[in-house]
């Protein structure tokens, strides 16, 4: 009995530490914590707790709270600051308290500031014994120097007037706004609890908590809109108090940087009153500088007796002047004007002169709320409770578009000069993005479509200061149409972009020849041939560039190589067209294995002699790849050329008989983009004009192909209009349609009872997994399997849902072995599957996956004698601990004081306390948490508590 007595003493001691003098006082309804960085040089933050409480002695005692700052080091007791420390009466028996604290963190990280207060008010229907359950809220925020003086969202609509009526839909919106313009999202969570006097154990689940709609037997829904934050209970069924909680997530550039919890209370009553209905305009998008003026209206819903009550209209949002001096929003501010106690229809006027300072990526959420004033609403308690309705109006302010964009082409320098009007909104940190595409379009953006939509083909080519009015785009292709648009982009965190400017299109005329053909005439590793052709100079002005003239052709080997060497001589150019000086046949090439790319240089005669005018764009030979498929061969080809091979009909040729060298055209392929340059040959000849040669695709035969691309510059002055170029010849052998079956895999499993009892396993450093498999005769669909297996491939991963990688190929003997032993040096843990491959190189589907797990084991004694006699001097695990990753071991004396603590992989306590002194003989209590290396989540951790007799 002695150990149990000691345990009770220790437990009683701990509980006495955590008991607050007013633990039985009940008053808490709801609240939240906001966070704001207040220093540019230090990681100093201001924390503001806002709570809503019943007015009773417990509220009067709630003069201070304990902030816990989440770094394991800091906490602070802070007094109530509003109302001269007395708080603020906000009606309906509810008082608001505000508590502030500042704290400086040592380093960037994620932190969770939290508050616990005892206790919640009584008779909350979805929290059993609510007056014995403490209140808890938290805010998690990211400290990152790149976030600047960031603040968590402000909840402008306080958690008040939260009265619902049985049978009527209830709605609440916190009107959360972010001062820096970050994105917000919402989600429901369970209410939680937290101790008031300590930071330990805060945030635990409330036993028996249910969401408000799950209390009554009649069904109802309780949801929050993830985008707007509308919390809707449709519809309450039973009177009483209910608490709920939700999270406001703050996101910047796709990264979540904070989570703010609001815990609040809803009181459901049964009264002869119905909520008013407010009407707001449809969400709008305006260009900065627009004056917005709209009328907001509301009407009361008649009560059962036909009564309609006077109405009050309110509005909150970041667009108004803030009463908090620390919160500064851009001017001009919006205004909302509405007379008090309007009846029967209430109206108010919203007016906002937007400006460049209001440009923001996210819309502004403006909350409009109406409350009715039924008879006796101002009594305590109210004779008939007030009801409210609210709606969010979303206003997006976009930047104005760039105006008067113009383009002047300069063919000689291969450049286009862009100019535009000075931009209207030259905000700090803003810039202009210049987009370009080949070709022109008819895209007309609407007023809310900011930036450049995907799919139009535009690419970003430059960013210039917002004050710029000109840009020169260089190194462009001649004979090409270019389209440009500009977009203004604004700096984070508010961000935002303008609507795209109107398109400006310009064309660079050519002063140069252009290459028209790079066609493979002969495929060989040593004796291949390619014919290169080009035009004479287009749009050429001999008065500007005098003769004599000269062509020089250069070649590079490789798809993207820029290492060019001259392959032609210095060819005298006759621009009259009477000589065949625009063609060159390149010989002695390895066209079977290599891609060759060519460019042409054109020279004129200046005062100093032959002078380079310019060079053409490089153009590659067509590269064909053939891939074996089941009774098919798949072809794909590519050609990086100066012209376009897209949106044309390419031609496929197949050798009529192996080795004949005679090819027949078997298909025409209508291609679009480069990803569509593909064809699958099933043996059918689809072109009859040159004879029909159908074949039965056999895995015992090889088939050879070449592709003829069809392209164009889409320029009338380039002749010929259509350009034809052949690829090299490429061959492939189809796969057999009889495929190997996936094997059936087995693994030797551990008998954990026998393994953990065998002391010989304590010092094992090599672990063996034996795998065996068999090959079935039939596929799952009943078809035959290919039994001619030449290889088994074994795959391994550290868990069933991990990434499998190849472990081994088993190719010997003949046929290959069907067993494999995997030796590991860390543990038994591993998951496997195996495939089979036939002589045609066809790999089967994967087998079943098998896994082997460890046998975790760990236990502790209850006595040891650290007296130096060499026997039982160390407190350590009984027998041998198996597969322990890490453990935490804490020892307390009978007074509840921590004596010793250890974290690591192996426990060996020598009986000394944390200061290195011998702990006196006696009884000690310990907590030990162990994590194991295992696949089974239920076996991954173990918590042990007990006592130790230390004898000397």
């Amino acid at each position: 009995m002695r150990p149990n007595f000691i345990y009770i003493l220790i437990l009683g001691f701990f509980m006495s530490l955590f008991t607050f003098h007013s633990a039985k006082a009940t008053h808490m309804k709801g609240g939240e914590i906001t966070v704001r960085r207040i220093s540019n040089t230090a990681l100093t933050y201001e924390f503001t707790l806002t709570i809503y409480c019943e007015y009773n002695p417990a509220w009067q005692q709630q003069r201070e709270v304990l902030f816990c700052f989440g770094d394991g080091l800091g906490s602070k007791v802070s007094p109530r600051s509003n109302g001269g420390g007395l708080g603020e009466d906000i009606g309906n028996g509810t008082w608001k308290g505000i508590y502030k604290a500042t704290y400086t963190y040592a380093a960037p990280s994620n932190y969770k500031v939290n508050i616990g207060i005892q206790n919640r008010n009584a008779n909350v229907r979805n929290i059993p014994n609510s007056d014995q359950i403490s209140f808890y809220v938290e805010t998690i925020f990211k400290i990152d120097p790149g976030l600047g003086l960031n603040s968590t969202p402000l909840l402008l609509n306080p958690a008040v007037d939260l009265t619902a009526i049985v049978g009527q839909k209830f709605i609440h919106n916190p009107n959360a706004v972010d001062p820096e313009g970050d994105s917000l999202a919402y989600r429901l969570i369970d209410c939680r609890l937290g101790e008031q006097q300590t930071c330990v154990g805060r945030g635990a689940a409330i036993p028996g908590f249910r969401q408000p709609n799950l209390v009554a037997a009649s069904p109802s829904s309780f949801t929050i809109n993830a985008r707007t934050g509308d919390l809707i209970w449709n519809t309450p069924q039973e009177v009483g108090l209910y608490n709920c909680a939700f999270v406001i997530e703050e996101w910047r550039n796709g990264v979540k940087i904070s989570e703010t919890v609001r815990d609040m209370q809803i009181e459901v009553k049964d009264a002869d009153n119905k909520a008013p209905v407010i009407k707001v305009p449809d969400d709008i998008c305006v260009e900065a500088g627009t004056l917005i003026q709209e009328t907001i209206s509301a009407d009361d819903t008649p009560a059962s007796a036909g009564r309609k009550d006077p109405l009050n209209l309110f509005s909150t949002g970041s667009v108004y002047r803030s009463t908090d001096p620390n919160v500064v929003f851009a001017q001009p501010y919006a205004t909302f004007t509405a007379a008090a106690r309007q009846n029967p229809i209430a109206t108010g006027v919203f007016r906002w002169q937007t400006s460049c300072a209001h440009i923001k990526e996210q819309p502004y959420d403006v909350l409009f709320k109406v409350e009715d004033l039924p008879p006796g609403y101002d009594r305590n308690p109210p004779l008939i409770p007030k009801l409210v309705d609210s709606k969010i109006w979303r206003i997006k302010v976009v930047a104005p578009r760039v105006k008067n964009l113009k383009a002047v082409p300069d063919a000689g320098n291969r450049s286009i000069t862009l100019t535009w009007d000075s931009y209207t909104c030259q905000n700090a940190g803003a810039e202009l993005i210049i987009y370009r595409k080949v070709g022109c379009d008819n895209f007309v953006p609407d007023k809310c479509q900011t930036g450049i939509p995907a799919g139009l083909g535009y690419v970003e080519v430059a960013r210039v200061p917002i004050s710029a009015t000109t840009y020169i785009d260089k190194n462009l292709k001649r004979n090409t149409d270019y389209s440009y648009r500009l977009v203004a982009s604004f700096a984070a965190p508010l961000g935002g972009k303008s609507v795209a400017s109107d398109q400006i299109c310009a064309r660079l005329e050519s002063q140069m020849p252009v290459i028209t053909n790079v066609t493979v005439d002969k495929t060989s590793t040593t004796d291949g041939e390619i014919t290169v052709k080009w035009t004479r100079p287009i749009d050429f002005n001999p008065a500007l560039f005098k003769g004599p003239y000269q062509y020089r052709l250069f070649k590079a080997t490789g798809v993207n190589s820029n290492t060019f060497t001259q392959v032609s001589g210095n060819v005298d150019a006759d621009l009259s067209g009477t000589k065949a000086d625009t063609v060159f046949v390149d010989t002695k090439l390895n066209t079977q294995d290599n891609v060759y790319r060519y460019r042409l240089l054109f020279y004129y005669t200046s005062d100093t002699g032959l002078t380079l005018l310019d060079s053409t764009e490089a153009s590659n030979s067509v590269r064909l790849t053939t891939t074996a498929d089941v009774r098919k061969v798949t072809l794909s080809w590519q050609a990086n050329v100066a012209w376009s091979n897209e949106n044309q009909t390419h031609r496929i040729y197949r050798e009529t008989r192996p080795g004949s060298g005679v090819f027949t055209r078997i298909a025409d392929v209508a291609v679009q983009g480069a990803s569509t340059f593909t064809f699958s040959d099933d043996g059918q000849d689809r072109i009859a004009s040159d004879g029909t040669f159908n074949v039965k695709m056999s895995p015992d035969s090889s088939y050879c192909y070449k592709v003829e691309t069809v392209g164009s510059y889409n320029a009338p002055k380039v002749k010929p209009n259509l350009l034809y170029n052949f690829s090299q010849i490429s061959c492939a052998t189809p796969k057999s349609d009889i495929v190997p079956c996936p094997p059936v895999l087995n693994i030797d499993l551990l008998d954990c009872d026998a393994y953990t009892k065998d002391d010989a396993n304590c010092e094992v450093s090599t672990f063996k997994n034996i795998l065996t498999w068999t090959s079935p005769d039939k596929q799952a669909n009943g078809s035959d399997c290919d039994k001619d297996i030449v290889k088994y491939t074994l795959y391994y991963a550290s868990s069933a849902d991990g990434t499998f990688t190849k472990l081994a190929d088993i190719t010997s003997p003949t046929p290959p072995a069907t067993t494999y032993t995997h030796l590991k040096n860390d543990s038994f843990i591993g998951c496997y599957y195996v495939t089979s491959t036939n002589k045609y190189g066809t790999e089967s589907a994967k087998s079943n996956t098998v896994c082997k797990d460890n046998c975790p084991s760990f236990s502790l004694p209850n006595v040891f004698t650290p007296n130096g006699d060499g026997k039982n001097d160390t407190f350590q695990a009984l027998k041998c601990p198996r597969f322990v990753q890490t453990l935490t071991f804490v020892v307390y004396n009978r007074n509840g004081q921590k004596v010793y603590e250890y974290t690591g992989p192996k426990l060996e306590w020598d009986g000394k306390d944390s200061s290195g002194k011998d702990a006196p003989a006696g009884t000690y209590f310990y907590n030990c948490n162990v994590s194991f290396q295992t696949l089974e989540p239920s076996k991954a951790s173990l918590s042990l508590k007990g006592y130790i007799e230390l004898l000397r």
Side-chain angles (χ1 to χ4, degrees):
M1 296 300 294
R2 183 180 179 187
N4 288 338
F5 173 73
I6 293 169
Y7 177 83
I8 292 170
L9 284 176
I10 295 171
L11 182 61
F13 170 75
F14 287 161
M15 292 188 67
S16 68
L17 286 176
F18 304 150
T19 300
F20 183 61
H21 70 277
S22 61
K24 294 185 179 181
T26 64
H27 60 298
M28 287 299 305
K29 289 185 175 183
E32 68 268 347
I33 303 170
T34 57
V35 181
R36 183 171 68 94
R37 185 175 174 183
I38 59 175
S39 172
N40 271 317
T41 57
L43 302 180
T44 303
Y45 285 77
E46 178 187 70
F47 304 92
T48 302
L49 168 70
T50 304
I51 59 174
Y52 304 94
C53 308
E54 288 185 357
Y55 186 76
N56 58 23
W59 160 255
Q60 296 170 354
Q61 295 174 16
Q62 190 62 56
R63 293 183 295 272
E64 56 189 29
V65 297
L66 176 66
F67 282 92
C68 298
F69 298 119
D71 59 356
L73 302 172
S75 62
K76 184 176 182 179
V77 175
S78 297
R80 189 161 56 210
S81 60
N82 62 325
L86 300 177
E88 179 185 352
D89 182 0
I90 56 176
N92 291 333
T94 300
W95 282 63
K96 180 172 77 172
I98 296 177
Y99 305 78
K100 292 182 178 288
T102 59
Y103 185 70
T104 301
Y105 289 89
S109 186
N110 292 331
Y111 296 101
K112 178 168 63 180
V113 59
N114 56 80
I115 292 289
I117 299 175
Q118 294 176 313
N119 274 335
R120 297 176 181 267
N121 55 346
N123 302 316
V124 179
R125 297 199 60 199
N126 61 327
I127 299 179
N129 304 312
S130 61
D131 57 348
Q132 301 299 314
I133 301 297
S134 55
F135 175 81
Y136 173 83
V137 287
E138 68 183 27
T139 294
I140 302 171
F141 61 102
K142 182 182 185 69
I143 294 184
D144 183 333
L147 297 178
L149 295 179
N150 188 55
S151 300
T152 58
L154 304 175
L155 282 60
L156 300 185
N157 189 22
V160 297
D161 301 328
L162 301 179
T163 302
I165 298 294
V166 171
Q168 296 187 41
K169 182 168 72 173
F170 167 84
I171 184 170
H172 168 74
N173 190 295
N175 193 202
V177 300
D178 189 80
E180 293 79 30
D182 295 317
S183 301
L184 304 181
Y186 304 82
R187 58 184 170 87
L188 284 174
I189 61 171
D190 291 351
C191 296
R192 287 175 282 171
L193 57 84
E195 295 293 335
Q196 176 161 309
Q197 272 198 323
T198 176
C199 295
V200 178
R202 286 186 174 182
I206 296 176
F209 174 82
R210 293 176 292 173
Q211 292 293 354
N213 63 314
L214 300 178
V215 175
S218 301
S220 63
S221 66
F222 192 80
T223 60
I224 193 166
N225 187 297
R227 183 179 69 90
T228 66
D230 281 339
L231 179 72
I232 298 175
W233 188 356
N234 193 12
T235 56
Q237 299 295 313
E238 297 179 0
V239 299
L241 302 176
Y242 300 84
N243 264 75
C244 65
F246 56 88
V247 170
I248 303 102
E249 299 176 347
E250 179 188 14
W251 293 78
R252 184 179 299 180
N253 297 327
V255 176
K256 184 162 59 177
I257 59 176
S258 80
E259 292 187 355
T260 301
V261 172
R262 167 173 275 188
D263 188 313
M264 70 180 205
Q265 189 168 96
I266 304 169
E267 183 174 9
V268 179
K269 295 184 177 182
D270 189 5
D272 183 20
N273 194 18
K274 293 185 179 180
V277 177
I278 195 167
K279 182 179 179 181
V280 303
D282 293 335
D283 294 347
I284 62 171
C285 177
V286 300
E287 194 172 276
T290 302
L291 172 64
I292 304 172
Q293 184 164 312
E294 293 286 349
T295 297
I296 313 300
S297 63
D299 191 5
D300 195 27
T301 304
S304 299
R307 185 192 76 249
K308 295 181 73 170
D309 301 318
L311 303 175
N312 282 336
L313 282 175
F314 308 94
S315 182
T316 57
S318 61
V319 297
Y320 301 112
R321 182 188 297 273
S322 175
T323 57
D324 185 343
N326 295 317
V327 180
V328 179
F329 291 101
Q331 298 185 50
Y333 302 117
T335 60
F336 181 67
T337 306
R341 296 185 63 88
Q342 300 184 62
N343 193 6
I345 303 295
T347 60
V349 176
F350 173 85
R351 191 178 190 279
W352 186 23
Q353 176 60 64
T354 62
S355 73
C356 294
H358 299 133
I359 295 168
K360 187 159 73 87
E361 179 71 23
Q362 300 300 320
Y364 291 89
D365 286 356
V366 185
L367 177 74
F368 294 96
K369 183 168 68 173
V370 59
E371 67 175 10
D372 64 4
L373 305 173
Y377 75 90
D378 50 356
R379 297 184 185 179
N380 192 10
L383 182 63
I384 301 176
K386 294 189 297 184
L387 296 180
V388 302
D389 185 29
S390 65
K391 284 185 174 63
I392 290 286
W393 186 26
R394 295 168 68 87
I395 303 172
K396 185 170 184 179
V397 180
V398 301
R401 69 181 67 196
V402 177
K403 294 179 175 62
N404 202 25
L405 177 62
K406 296 179 180 179
V408 177
D410 182 350
N413 291 312
R414 291 197 301 171
S415 66
I416 293 177
T417 300
L418 302 175
T419 59
W420 57 91
D421 290 349
S422 180
Y423 190 62
T424 305
C425 294
Q426 299 196 10
N427 296 11
E431 58 188 354
L432 293 171
I433 307 175
I434 300 170
Y435 293 92
R436 179 188 68 209
K437 69 174 288 186
V438 175
C440 304
D441 59 48
N442 297 315
F443 168 66
V444 179
D446 64 36
K447 64 180 180 180
C448 288
Q449 192 173 15
T450 59
I452 300 286
L456 292 181
Y458 285 93
V459 295
E460 179 182 327
V461 295
R463 294 188 176 221
V464 297
I466 197 69
S467 59
T469 57
T470 186
Y471 175 76
I472 300 176
D473 194 16
K474 301 178 180 179
N475 300 317
L476 300 173
K477 292 182 180 180
R478 295 193 179 92
N479 236 13
T480 304
D481 290 319
Y482 290 101
S483 171
Y484 294 89
R485 293 182 189 268
L486 267 62
V487 171
S489 178
F490 292 80
L494 292 179
K497 289 183 177 180
S498 72
V499 177
S501 71
D502 291 337
Q503 171 190 242
I504 188 67
C505 246
R507 180 178 182 82
L508 278 181
E509 299 294 347
S510 178
Q511 297 280 346
M512 279 286 296
V514 295
I515 292 178
T516 57
N517 293 86
V518 181
T519 187
V520 180
D521 297 322
K522 185 177 180 180
T523 301
S524 171
T525 57
T526 58
D527 198 28
E529 293 183 1
I530 291 177
T531 296
V532 183
K533 297 180 180 180
W534 57 91
T535 69
R536 292 178 173 83
I538 300 171
D539 294 319
F540 187 69
N541 187 346
L544 294 177
F545 305 101
K546 300 184 181 300
Y549 306 103
Q550 197 175 89
Y551 303 121
R552 298 178 189 178
L553 186 66
F554 286 73
K555 176 183 69 180
T557 304
V559 174
N560 298 307
S561 174
N562 286 311
T563 304
F564 287 90
T565 57
Q566 187 171 346
V567 293
S568 72
N570 298 335
V571 180
D572 292 334
D574 178 13
L575 303 190
S576 67
T578 59
K579 294 184 179 180
D581 55 2
T582 59
V583 61
F584 179 81
V585 179
D586 200 7
T587 61
K588 305 299 181 183
L589 304 174
N590 180 2
T591 52
Q592 178 174 301
D593 299 319
N594 293 334
V595 172
Y596 295 94
R597 57 198 316 244
Y598 297 85
R599 71 179 183 185
L600 183 74
L601 276 62
F602 180 68
Y603 290 79
Y604 70 99
T605 301
S606 67
D607 294 340
T608 59
L610 281 173
T611 303
L612 177 66
L613 175 61
D614 206 345
S615 65
T616 66
E617 302 292 333
S619 294
N620 292 17
S621 57
V622 184
R623 187 66 185 172
L624 172 64
T625 301
T626 51
T627 305
D629 204 343
V630 176
R631 299 288 180 178
K632 295 180 180 179
V633 173
T634 298
L635 287 69
S636 62
W637 57 97
Q638 62 177 347
N640 184 12
V641 291
W643 58 91
S644 172
N645 285 322
E646 298 180 351
N647 300 308
Q648 299 286 352
T649 299
H650 295 188
R651 302 167 177 179
I652 311 299
Y653 296 80
R654 182 180 65 219
E655 194 176 26
T656 55
R657 295 185 307 278
S660 68
V662 177
F663 285 78
T664 184
R665 185 169 156 195
I666 63 169
D668 288 349
V669 180
V671 302
Q672 295 176 333
S675 62
T676 66
F677 291 12
T678 182
F679 174 74
S680 184
D681 180 27
D682 58 3
Q684 182 181 354
D685 185 345
R686 296 168 172 82
I687 306 296
S689 60
D690 58 349
T692 302
F693 295 88
N694 294 322
V695 297
K696 184 178 181 180
M697 305 295 283
S698 170
D700 296 317
S701 298
S702 179
Y703 301 89
C704 296
Y705 304 85
K706 60 182 178 180
V707 171
E708 186 179 29
T709 62
V710 180
S712 174
Y713 277 101
N714 296 312
K717 295 180 180 180
V718 177
K719 303 296 183 182
N721 182 46
L722 294 180
L723 311 176
Y724 299 88
N725 290 277
F726 276 107
S727 72
Q728 93 289 3
I729 296 170
S730 180
C731 306
T733 301
K735 297 180 181 179
S736 171
D737 55 1
I738 301 178
V739 299
C741 286
V744 178
L745 182 60
N746 293 286
I747 191 170
D748 66 315
L749 298 177
L750 290 177
D751 180 346
C752 286
D753 288 339
Y755 184 82
T756 55
K757 289 178 181 177
D758 187 354
D759 289 344
N761 294 320
C762 287
E763 302 300 328
V764 170
S765 59
T766 301
F767 304 88
K768 182 187 300 183
N769 291 337
I770 301 174
L771 298 131
T772 59
W773 55 92
T774 58
S775 294
D777 295 325
K778 297 284 185 181
Q779 300 278 4
N781 60 8
S783 62
D784 291 333
C785 298
D786 190 345
K787 302 291 289 184
D788 191 3
I789 305 302
V790 298
K791 179 176 68 174
Y792 293 105
T793 305
L794 196 65
Y795 296 86
Y796 165 80
S798 58
S799 65
D801 57 355
T803 301
F804 282 84
T805 58
K806 183 190 291 188
L807 178 62
D809 283 326
I810 298 94
T811 58
S812 62
T814 303
T818 57
T819 183
Y820 183 85
T821 299
H822 186 201
L823 297 178
K824 302 175 81 258
N825 58 14
D826 54 351
S827 76
F828 289 106
I829 285 179
C831 293
Y832 306 84
Y833 70 80
V834 66
T835 62
S836 55
T837 302
N838 65 11
K839 67 178 182 179
Y840 299 113
T842 303
E843 187 175 16
S844 74
K846 67 181 183 181
S847 71
N848 57 303
T849 299
V850 298
C851 296
K852 190 171 180 180
D853 202 357
N854 292 324
C855 292
S857 176
F858 187 85
S859 59
L860 291 171
N862 59 11
V863 65
F864 78 122
T865 59
N867 53 15
D869 63 357
K871 299 178 181 180
N872 200 25
D873 283 336
T874 303
F875 186 78
Q876 56 189 357
L878 291 169
K879 294 186 178 179
C880 55
R882 291 174 175 85
F883 308 111
V884 174
Q885 284 185 312
T886 187
L887 61 87
T888 300
F889 177 73
V890 184
V891 180
Y892 302 91
N893 63 21
R894 66 175 61 220
N895 295 321
Q897 297 172 322
K898 185 189 296 184
V899 174
Y900 174 76
E901 183 174 6
Y902 168 78
T903 298
K906 187 175 182 181
L907 174 62
E908 291 179 334
W909 184 36
D910 59 3
K912 297 183 182 297
D913 62 20
S914 298
S915 67
K917 298 179 180 179
D918 288 338
T923 302
Y924 295 83
F925 180 78
Y926 71 84
N927 282 327
C928 185
N929 295 305
V930 188
S931 63
F932 296 105
Q933 188 179 6
T934 177
L935 291 175
E936 176 57 50
S938 63
K939 299 178 182 179
S941 61
L942 175 68
S943 294
L944 299 173
K945 296 181 180 181
Y947 68 91
I948 306 168
E949 290 288 348
L950 191 159
L951 305 177
R952 292 194 181 275

